[in-house]
Amino acid sequence: MKSIGVFDSGVGGLTVVKELIRQLPNENIVYFGDTARVPYGIKSPETVIRFSIENILFLLKQDVKLICVACNTASSFALPVIKNYFRAPIIGVITPGVREAVYASQNKRIGVIGTKGTIKSRTYEIEIKQLDPKAKVVTASCPLFVPFVEEGWLSGEVVLNVARDYLKPLKAAGVDTVILGCTHYPLLKPVIQQILGKDVTLIDSAKQVACEVKKILVSEDLLNRGKGGNNSFYVSDNPEWFSGLAQRFLGRQLKNVRKVNNV
Amino acid sequence: MKSIGVFDSGVGGLTVVKELIRQLPNENIVYFGDTARVPYGIKSPETVIRFSIENILFLLKQDVKLICVACNTASSFALPVIKNYFRAPIIGVITPGVREAVYASQNKRIGVIGTKGTIKSRTYEIEIKQLDPKAKVVTASCPLFVPFVEEGWLSGEVVLNVARDYLKPLKAAGVDTVILGCTHYPLLKPVIQQILGKDVTLIDSAKQVACEVKKILVSEDLLNRGKGGNNSFYVSDNPEWFSGLAQRFLGRQLKNVRKVNNV
């Protein structure tokens, strides 16, 4: 019984796994977190593409039927290239978020926040404009958000001050919708919402990504008809660190996280 | 004419290069920054050891006569292992800092700050106790300091608040000397000094490391007698990012940073 393969640079992709489990409880999931080389957000396109290919080759060895790139940086840089390399369908996290944001925005001013890599790639901007050429897109990279989340600084003055600084251009532009363009950011939702105000819609792509995966499994007749629901978690380093953070992202503890060498 | 080889997980080791250039202006230096896999501070001993060996093999190919591990995490985890593997002398950043701190402290209460990996390894604690069994050692990991430095947050309320939080146990213990156990931390000296007070001595090991290198080159008759002073800089990713940060660490701009694959 084939599985859904999911990879991320580290733990962030577990927010996508959480939604996959909710929407597709009978599917088996194999997750790979590249914790030996985390983070991807500061690295170059060539390097992120190389790492992504290595991660996909590892997942293919685990007999997966579909691959979900649950990392915005890897989706931005690598997806256009790797989509053509492999036979299995590959889903990124950008397009589902873009679709949802364009649908949600009333004033057609859309904000996007992400890592330096994601923002620099301009992938979100380009995809939003393709869907709605009239949309105004304002972007901001928030490089300290990932360390904040991983260190458990999810509220308080420090985080608020940094967030206020990062989100200034979005506030100034009067956006009514903001894409959380990094799988870590949903954990900072309360802070981001407090600064942008309660009328701004925050788009967390995990839910849309899971919908997209479901749609493809249905259309390609790949849905699991038996009783599945087994999940395996692999990392390239530090299984304890990963297990410790899993609670924060997945909402439950993880046992049996296995360390493997993916290169 | 053989060179001094220096490696670090990223840019931090340039603080050591700066001192090497000052104290040994006729030596050639080859630097390698493992920017494709930075940071090391959150990674496991086995992984840091594997990365360190790969970095040393790269430096040996560049014909180096001595290797300086300009990264506290790699020095803590890898040095005891790799010292026995290679013929060239290998210098870490821990012992020189420890020696200086034990010498500087009057009340024999010594603080150590570093990455999670460095603090967890207890290397500083063990080495201080070996040199002075009566010394009291208080340690604290400061995981947000590296992202702060790399993002250029070197002062202001945000950094002060986080630093105040991290340094609380050191203040409470009444340390009179603190080892900056990470090559990024010297850039936060003003903030750290402000919180600990001006009577606390901050030990930046770069100076001592360069002294140690000089001593070994002299005793092993390896000093460069000709006119040298050529420096080469290699990284495993993002040469532009590295060049941009170099100014902050080295005090001057870097051209011709070359990207290589060290694995």
Side-chain angles (χ1 to χ4, degrees), chain B residues 134-236:
Chain B
K134 285 186 193 151
K136 192 183 167 192
V137 184
V138 188
T139 64
S141 66
C142 308
L144 288 174
F145 279 5
V146 169
F148 279 155
V149 169
E150 299 201 340
E151 294 309 322
W153 294 68
L154 302 181
S155 59
E157 266 315 300
V158 165
V159 184
L160 267 170
N161 281 336
V162 173
R164 202 170 284 128
D165 193 70
Y166 284 155
L167 300 172
K168 216 174 271 172
L170 275 67
K171 251 186 110 81
V175 299
D176 71 348
T177 307
V178 171
I179 299 178
L180 307 177
C182 171
T183 46
H184 281 76
Y185 297 179
L187 283 86
L188 289 172
K189 247 184 182 173
V191 170
I192 297 168
Q193 195 84 66
Q194 184 180 337
I195 286 164
L196 293 175
K198 64 175 173 31
D199 294 334
V200 171
T201 309
L202 301 183
I203 306 288
D204 163 5
S205 39
K207 212 173 103 187
Q208 300 306 316
V209 171
C211 287
E212 184 86 7
V213 169
K214 195 172 179 177
K215 207 158 59 182
I216 288 170
L217 292 183
V218 170
S219 75
E220 311 244 329
D221 199 22
L222 290 169
L223 268 181
N224 184 9
R225 289 173 208 289
K227 254 200 174 171
N230 296 316
N231 306 322
S232 320
F233 296 88
Y234 298 92
V235 291
S236 50

Side-chain angles (χ1 to χ4, degrees), chain A residues 124-133:
Chain A
Y124 271 109
E125 244 170 300
I126 294 162
E127 290 213 12
I128 293 170
K129 294 275 191 189
Q130 270 168 357
L131 213 59
D132 183 353

Side-chain angles (χ1 to χ4, degrees), chain A residues 35-39 42-44 46-47 50-51 116 143-144 147-148 151 153 158 161-162 237-238 259 261, chain B residues 35-39 42-44 46-47 50-51 116 143-144 147-148 151 153 158 161-162 237-238 259 261:
Chain A
T35 47
R37 303 188 290 196
V38 71
I42 51 168
K43 286 152 200 179
S44 72
E46 309 88 79
T47 296
R50 176 163 69 91
F51 291 174
K116 281 187 175 172
L144 288 174
F148 279 155
E151 293 308 322
W153 294 68
V158 164
N161 281 335
V162 172
D237 195 22
N238 262 329
K259 181 177 162 178
N261 215 333
Chain B
T35 48
R37 305 187 289 196
V38 72
I42 51 168
K43 286 152 199 178
S44 73
E46 310 87 80
T47 296
R50 177 163 67 91
F51 290 175
K116 280 187 175 172
L144 288 174
F148 279 155
E151 294 309 322
W153 294 68
V158 165
N161 281 336
V162 173
D237 195 21
N238 262 330
K259 181 177 163 178
N261 215 333

Side-chain angles (χ1 to χ4, degrees), chain B residues 89-101:
Chain B
I90 304 182
I91 312 289
V93 288
I94 310 282
T95 317
V98 165
R99 219 176 285 146
E100 174 79 352

Side-chain angles (χ1 to χ4, degrees), chain A residues 59-229:
Chain A
L59 288 174
L60 289 173
K61 274 189 260 171
Q62 316 309 313
D63 201 25
V64 299
K65 57 186 173 186
L66 175 147
I67 286 162
C68 178
V69 184
C71 168
N72 284 266
T73 311
S75 295
S76 303
F77 284 148
L79 204 62
V81 179
I82 58 180
K83 253 188 161 169
N84 302 315
Y85 286 9
F86 301 97
R87 187 178 292 175
I90 303 181
I91 312 289
V93 287
I94 311 282
T95 316
V98 164
R99 218 177 285 145
E100 174 79 352
V102 169
Y103 175 79
S105 176
Q106 300 288 320
N107 71 5
K108 298 302 164 201
R109 289 184 206 162
I110 299 171
V112 181
I113 55 176
T115 64
K116 281 187 175 172
T118 299
I119 297 304
K120 215 173 154 190
S121 77
R122 305 193 58 222
T123 312
Y124 271 109
E125 244 170 300
I126 294 162
E127 290 213 12
I128 293 170
K129 294 275 191 189
Q130 270 168 357
L131 213 59
D132 183 353
K134 283 185 193 151
K136 192 185 167 192
V137 184
V138 188
T139 64
S141 66
C142 308
L144 288 174
F145 279 5
V146 169
F148 279 155
V149 169
E150 300 202 339
E151 293 308 322
W153 294 68
L154 302 181
S155 60
E157 265 315 300
V158 164
V159 185
L160 267 170
N161 281 335
V162 172
R164 201 170 285 128
D165 192 71
Y166 284 154
L167 300 171
K168 216 172 271 172
L170 275 67
K171 251 186 110 80
V175 298
D176 71 348
T177 306
V178 171
I179 299 178
L180 307 177
C182 171
T183 45
H184 281 75
Y185 295 0
L187 282 87
L188 290 172
K189 246 183 183 173
V191 169
I192 297 168
Q193 195 84 66
Q194 183 179 337
I195 286 165
L196 293 176
K198 64 175 172 30
D199 294 334
V200 171
T201 309
L202 301 183
I203 306 288
D204 163 5
S205 39
K207 212 173 102 187
Q208 300 308 316
V209 172
C211 288
E212 183 87 8
V213 169
K214 196 172 179 179
K215 207 158 58 183
I216 288 170
L217 292 183
V218 170
S219 75
E220 311 245 330
D221 199 22
L222 290 169
L223 268 181
N224 184 9
R225 288 173 208 289
K227 254 200 174 172

Side-chain angles (χ1 to χ4, degrees), chain B residues 50 59 64 101 223 248 255:
Chain B
R50 177 163 67 91
L59 288 174
V64 299
L223 268 181
R248 205 172 289 159
K255 282 167 198 158

